[in-house]
Amino acid sequence: MKNPLHYVKVAAAKALTKLVMQALANARSEPQNRASWPTKAQASGISKRFMKNFNNYFDEIGIPLIEQAKSETDEFASLSQIGHYHLEAMVAMEGMVKQRREAEIAGMSSLTVRLESMLPGIRVDEANNPFDPEQIADCFNEAIKPMELEAQHLLKVYEEFDKSVFGELESIVTEINTMMISMKVLPELETHPQDSAKHLEGKVAEHAQPLLQQVEENPKIESEPESKSAHDSSQSSVNENSKSTEQTPPAVSASKIARTDWLAHMQQLLHSKSGQSHALVKHATENVEIASNTEMAADEERMQVQQESLLELLDRVQFNLQNSSKNSSAPSETNAAGVAQAINESLKQAQENGELGPIQAQSADVINLIVVLFDIIEKDEALLAVLKELVRRIQIVMMKIALRDTSFFYCQDNPARRLIDELIHAGVGWTQSSKLDANPVYHTTKRILKMLLDEPKPDNDYIETLLGELRQAKTRALGKTLALESRILNLPTLTDHPDDIDAFVRQKIHERIRNRDLDPFIQILLKTYIHNFLFKLVTREGFKGQSWKSVVSTLDVLLWTMQPEKQFGDLERFKRVNPRLLENLSKFLSIGGASKSKITKIMRQLKQIQEFTFYQAEAGIRPEHSEDQESFTSNVILSTRGRKEVPPLKKDDPNVVRIGGLPLDSWIEFRGSSGERLRCTLASKIESIDKLFFTNSDGEKVLEITRLRLAHELKAGTVRVISEGMIMKRAMQSVIAYLSKTSRTGARAEDS
């Protein structure tokens, strides 16, 4: 029997290709297109190429990007040669992709988790997810490219593609999730709770055949009914939902799942046999009187009074823990278990004194889930002592927020969740506590956390304000201005705001040359002709499209060739990419206003500087580094240090796959010669020269390394990947995994 992933690929390819064919048919139905394009034969060819491209993209999920990527210094066509309509069509497609991504396709996060479960050791994200709108758009663009359509026809086809393919993408994702559930791929994982059940039912009904029936090779797998587990009275409403999904066909199951939110699923696991085997899940509410949800719902006024009393009690617990921490010389027990113990004692005492009646079952579940969540966050290896202490302070605050708004558990855009993400991401690199007094981001973090603790009822708007302050502090520390980029994104017409675009381009150039030891000629070139070129590019296309990415990548290659520090193999890489690099740069300069004679002189001087940097390296002349850069470079323990070449590894080697899929902003950790932790974050990649560039928390480059060398370091155990992306998403998934697995301690106690 073939791998289930094969059947998912075949089903998705067929369904998406059918939608592409519909888009092409709709484009031809326009009166002005009938006589010219597309014919049935042409449409068939495009559809076949699309299906082939999609299958190839799907097969490449687990292949490192260096194996897939074309050279990022491919020829960049002069903007002056792009007609208005072609430019409009390009921008239109990029806008469609952006719009679909921002809309948060229902069920996509669950689909991503399921794909990752079938691909051990591989991270699935926007860069390699074949269901991502940009990947699907790329498949279509490559399929339609040989037609060399006229611009106005291309724009019309893109519009129909947006309606027919992107417009139905959510239903495809829903059906693929349903298919994977029937194949027993994480059947307990539910779709996004904000999915509209009515919407999904309509989408599923529109397809005459479920995807399982469309795949001729697909094995017949019968859906087993969910096992009934005895829950206490607090789970009566949850049980009703779970019963309704038993022994239902796949198409119906998708709609039922959509009605059951993520919190209800976590509650089911919390009260399951495996969940209850963990002492921590009931620590905060053990021996506390709890009323069922049904009982409390019958008396809404009583429920509101009890909720407010519970929140006031949590305020007192928070206040007492803060004071005990200030007044005691010994470290306070403010970890998750310690907080749970304090809450439990206060709840029992309040009920004994008659100050608090039975608490609602859902409130008890929320409290226990937050305890488990923060226990998992605290144990994440990305958090060092100073960061753990900051996170522990806000556990009860987040508990109160979740009690008021349960979207905390399922909405990734929840402001409180994003604040935790930003807080931890800001502090992952705080490895040297002695330097924190001079760290402005650390001081901002402490200040906004104090504001959060002091605010009686922090709502979403208040948290958004704190979130904005933290982001501003982070961007200022890196020499950026967040407000400017946000303003550019929100401008209705770029051509009417030249001053903003000029400032934005200057900022982006500054980010590129910050902390670099560059020849003054290069700096002047970037601030004149290259600046003019970037100004024209942003004015015409904005800075979120593929053209901007290609140009920035080309400039990164230019700056790499100009840096005085070289490594073994760099000369060969330089010889391979430089001819195309200089060709592209001459086009940039021409669009930027340089004359032909001026371009010739600039090219001559660029080559001289490039050659001189290699001469410096051969002569052993090293550039000056900051104290932090020098400390990292000299102290880091590398298994490949001193080796000119390292042996190749197979492309499916798990270490190669892990490094190949490492997203930007990931943090890795080395050990120093004295045992100290040395952390750095992936700041940029240059595919064409196979280089990864890492910076410290201050934005200074501390490591330049090839994927192969880093894979060898990972294999040797000299480096660890400690953080890939934001923490809250993986922490929530870890809560589900934790509750789904029986505790060994609980199992032993039961056996005895």
Side-chain angles (χ1 to χ4, degrees):
M1 183 181 292
K2 293 186 178 180
N3 188 313
L5 199 61
H6 167 77
Y7 299 107
V8 171
K9 177 183 75 172
V10 173
K14 285 186 176 182
L16 286 168
T17 302
K18 184 178 179 181
L19 296 177
V20 167
M21 293 174 69
Q22 183 62 52
L24 297 175
N26 292 345
R28 180 171 171 74
S29 67
E30 294 293 324
Q32 64 269 30
N33 289 345
R34 285 175 187 164
S36 56
W37 188 90
T39 65
K40 287 186 177 180
Q42 289 171 328
S44 176
I46 293 169
S47 300
K48 288 178 181 177
R49 287 193 294 273
F50 173 84
M51 178 179 280
K52 181 180 179 181
N53 293 339
F54 181 83
N55 285 328
N56 290 340
Y57 271 51
F58 208 105
D59 291 338
E60 291 172 350
I61 296 177
I63 299 177
L65 293 178
I66 189 61
E67 299 289 337
Q68 306 172 27
K70 297 178 180 178
S71 171
E72 291 193 2
T73 52
D74 282 349
E75 183 174 351
F76 181 79
S78 171
L79 287 178
S80 61
Q81 296 174 356
I82 299 177
H84 171 74
Y85 288 108
H86 270 105
L87 184 59
E88 184 181 351
M90 291 163 55
V91 173
M93 177 57 94
E94 290 174 353
M96 294 168 193
V97 169
K98 178 184 176 184
Q99 182 180 8
R100 296 299 173 178
R101 275 182 167 175
E102 290 178 347
E104 277 203 34
I105 299 165
M108 183 65 84
S109 60
S110 297
L111 177 58
T112 302
V113 173
R114 289 192 170 99
L115 286 173
E116 286 184 343
S117 74
M118 301 169 79
L119 296 160
I122 294 174
R123 177 187 173 86
V124 178
D125 55 22
E126 291 179 347
N128 65 347
N129 184 354
F131 295 96
D132 179 75
E134 186 168 346
Q135 309 300 323
I136 294 173
D138 284 348
C139 291
F140 185 69
N141 284 333
E142 291 300 315
I144 206 168
K145 189 181 294 182
M147 298 301 302
E148 297 183 349
L149 294 178
E150 294 181 11
Q152 60 268 33
H153 292 161
L154 183 62
L155 182 58
K156 179 59 186 174
V157 169
Y158 281 167
E159 290 172 353
E160 293 299 335
F161 178 86
D162 184 46
K163 294 176 188 175
S164 299
V165 182
F166 283 165
E168 296 297 321
L169 184 56
E170 189 169 297
S171 66
I172 297 294
V173 169
T174 298
E175 292 192 38
I176 292 295
N177 269 316
T178 302
M179 178 181 182
M180 296 171 85
I181 289 169
S182 72
M183 299 169 78
K184 303 298 181 286
V185 179
L186 297 183
E188 74 282 358
L189 184 65
E190 297 167 2
T191 53
H192 197 289
Q194 290 181 324
D195 296 352
S196 165
K198 184 177 180 181
H199 175 70
L200 287 175
E201 285 174 344
K203 292 293 184 185
V204 172
E206 287 174 12
H207 292 266
Q209 291 179 303
L211 285 179
L212 277 171
Q213 297 175 20
Q214 294 178 27
V215 187
E216 297 173 0
E217 302 172 300
N218 201 25
K220 294 181 180 179
I221 303 176
E222 299 295 333
S223 297
E224 295 180 3
E226 295 181 15
S227 60
K228 296 181 181 180
S229 57
H231 300 328
D232 61 15
S233 61
S234 69
Q235 290 303 295
S236 58
S237 61
V238 176
N239 281 336
E240 290 170 7
N241 286 336
S242 63
K243 288 177 184 177
S244 66
T245 63
E246 292 180 3
Q247 297 181 339
T248 54
V252 178
S253 178
S255 299
K256 297 296 183 184
I257 288 172
R259 293 194 186 104
T260 308
D261 69 15
W262 192 273
L263 174 59
H265 177 54
M266 296 175 86
Q267 288 176 279
Q268 284 181 332
L269 291 174
L270 188 72
H271 291 273
S272 67
K273 184 177 179 181
S274 58
Q276 289 295 301
S277 69
H278 300 275
L280 189 63
V281 305
K282 48 195 174 186
H283 193 21
T285 58
E286 192 169 18
N287 298 322
V288 171
E289 190 177 353
I290 298 173
S292 70
N293 293 328
T294 306
E295 180 185 344
M296 294 294 282
D299 190 344
E300 188 174 344
E301 184 178 349
R302 175 192 170 203
M303 183 171 66
Q304 290 178 350
V305 170
Q306 288 293 82
Q307 180 82 337
E308 287 304 315
S309 298
L310 176 60
L311 292 170
E312 289 174 6
L313 181 142
L314 291 175
D315 283 337
R316 293 196 297 272
V317 174
Q318 177 183 313
F319 178 79
N320 292 336
L321 287 174
Q322 285 179 261
N323 280 349
S324 65
S325 177
K326 291 177 183 177
N327 300 330
S328 174
S329 57
S332 61
E333 284 297 317
T334 56
N335 59 14
V339 170
Q341 179 66 29
I343 292 173
N344 182 257
E345 292 172 358
S346 296
L347 284 172
K348 289 189 293 186
Q349 184 177 358
Q351 288 185 341
E352 288 172 5
N353 297 340
E355 299 172 6
L356 181 71
I359 65 172
Q360 187 183 11
Q362 176 154 306
S363 297
D365 290 345
V366 167
I367 290 171
N368 288 320
L369 286 171
I370 291 292
V371 169
V372 173
L373 174 68
F374 270 77
D375 183 64
I376 286 171
I377 291 175
E378 287 174 18
K379 291 175 180 175
D380 192 287
E381 58 187 357
L383 276 71
L384 299 177
V386 64
L387 193 52
K388 283 184 181 180
E389 179 58 32
L390 293 176
V391 170
R392 285 171 176 172
R393 294 182 192 177
I394 60 174
Q395 179 174 340
I396 294 182
V397 175
M398 293 301 162
M399 192 177 287
K400 292 185 292 184
I401 288 172
L403 283 166
R404 291 190 178 100
D405 180 9
T406 56
S407 71
F408 177 88
F409 290 99
Y410 56 77
C411 181
Q412 294 184 36
D413 281 337
N414 181 282
R417 283 182 61 150
R418 287 189 284 124
L419 182 62
I420 296 174
D421 277 333
E422 292 284 352
L423 162 66
I424 292 176
H425 189 264
V428 172
W430 295 342
T431 56
Q432 295 176 291
S433 56
S434 60
K435 294 189 175 183
L436 288 179
D437 285 341
N439 188 321
V441 178
Y442 172 69
H443 288 292
T444 299
T445 301
K446 288 180 64 178
R447 180 173 57 80
I448 66 171
L449 289 188
K450 185 178 185 306
M451 292 170 64
L452 181 63
L453 291 169
D454 292 343
E455 179 64 25
K457 294 182 179 180
D459 57 14
N460 286 347
D461 289 340
Y462 185 78
I463 297 173
E464 286 283 6
T465 301
L466 301 182
L467 192 56
E469 288 191 36
L470 179 57
R471 285 175 173 169
Q472 288 286 2
K474 288 167 65 178
T475 53
R476 279 197 301 269
L478 296 174
K480 301 179 183 179
T481 307
L482 191 64
L484 178 60
E485 186 168 317
S486 177
R487 190 161 66 248
I488 294 287
L489 280 172
N490 293 321
L491 289 176
T493 308
L494 292 174
T495 52
D496 295 338
H497 299 270
D499 291 342
D500 284 334
I501 296 174
D502 179 73
F504 172 77
V505 169
R506 280 190 280 107
Q507 174 182 303
K508 290 302 174 184
I509 290 174
H510 174 71
E511 290 173 15
R512 282 291 177 283
I513 64 177
R514 182 174 179 263
N515 297 324
R516 285 182 184 263
D517 185 14
L518 292 175
D519 187 283
F521 174 78
I522 303 300
Q523 297 190 38
I524 293 172
L525 184 64
L526 288 167
K527 294 175 181 178
T528 52
Y529 294 116
I530 298 297
H531 174 280
N532 294 343
F533 164 70
L534 293 176
F535 179 89
K536 291 181 179 180
L537 177 64
V538 174
T539 302
R540 292 193 183 192
E541 293 193 42
F543 65 94
K544 286 295 182 180
Q546 189 57 45
S547 298
W548 172 262
K549 294 177 185 176
S550 299
V551 169
V552 169
S553 178
T554 300
L555 294 180
D556 282 341
V557 176
L558 168 66
L559 296 176
W560 172 78
T561 67
M562 297 295 172
Q563 67 183 22
E565 196 168 27
K566 306 295 181 185
Q567 297 179 349
F568 178 79
D570 281 354
L571 183 58
E572 288 72 22
R573 295 184 182 92
F574 168 74
K575 289 178 179 178
R576 186 177 70 248
V577 302
N578 203 48
R580 184 60 58 83
L581 170 65
L582 295 179
E583 182 181 345
N584 288 339
L585 285 174
S586 66
K587 293 178 180 179
F588 295 177
L589 295 172
S590 176
I591 298 171
S595 64
K596 287 186 177 180
S597 59
K598 187 67 175 178
I599 292 173
T600 301
K601 293 178 182 178
I602 291 173
M603 289 295 132
R604 187 184 305 123
Q605 191 155 355
L606 284 177
K607 290 178 182 178
Q608 290 175 352
I609 296 171
Q610 288 173 330
E611 291 170 0
F612 182 68
T613 61
F614 281 98
Y615 164 77
Q616 282 181 302
E618 290 176 5
I621 303 172
R622 295 185 60 202
E624 292 185 3
H625 292 304
S626 71
E627 183 180 338
D628 287 342
Q629 288 173 305
E630 197 65 47
S631 174
F632 189 102
T633 305
S634 59
N635 291 334
V636 66
I637 296 175
L638 297 173
S639 64
T640 60
R641 186 187 289 276
R643 296 167 64 181
K644 288 187 175 182
E645 294 187 62
V646 293
L649 294 171
K650 292 182 179 180
K651 68 180 183 181
D652 60 350
D653 181 286
N655 300 291
V656 173
V657 172
R658 183 81 186 277
I659 298 302
L662 208 60
L664 293 177
D665 293 329
S666 296
W667 283 84
I668 61 175
E669 180 181 276
F670 295 92
R671 285 290 180 174
S673 53
S674 301
E676 70 273 25
R677 299 173 187 267
L678 299 174
R679 292 184 170 185
C680 52
T681 182
L682 181 57
S684 63
K685 310 176 185 180
I686 302 181
E687 308 290 350
S688 56
I689 57 174
D690 185 27
K691 284 292 186 87
L692 304 176
F693 299 86
F694 292 85
T695 63
N696 59 19
S697 57
D698 294 327
E700 296 177 319
K701 190 186 86 171
V702 293
L703 180 67
E704 174 184 331
I705 193 169
T706 65
R707 281 185 174 83
L708 181 58
R709 281 186 181 270
L710 191 56
H712 272 284
E713 299 299 337
L714 190 63
K715 190 171 186 176
T718 52
V719 66
R720 295 187 305 151
V721 178
I722 57 171
S723 174
E724 295 178 72
M726 296 303 186
I727 195 171
M728 282 299 293
K729 181 179 178 181
R730 67 175 186 267
M732 287 293 183
Q733 292 169 353
S734 296
V735 169
I736 289 176
Y738 174 84
L739 296 175
S740 302
K741 186 177 180 181
T742 302
S743 166
R744 293 180 181 178
T745 305
R748 284 198 297 269
E750 197 172 279
D751 292 340
S752 61

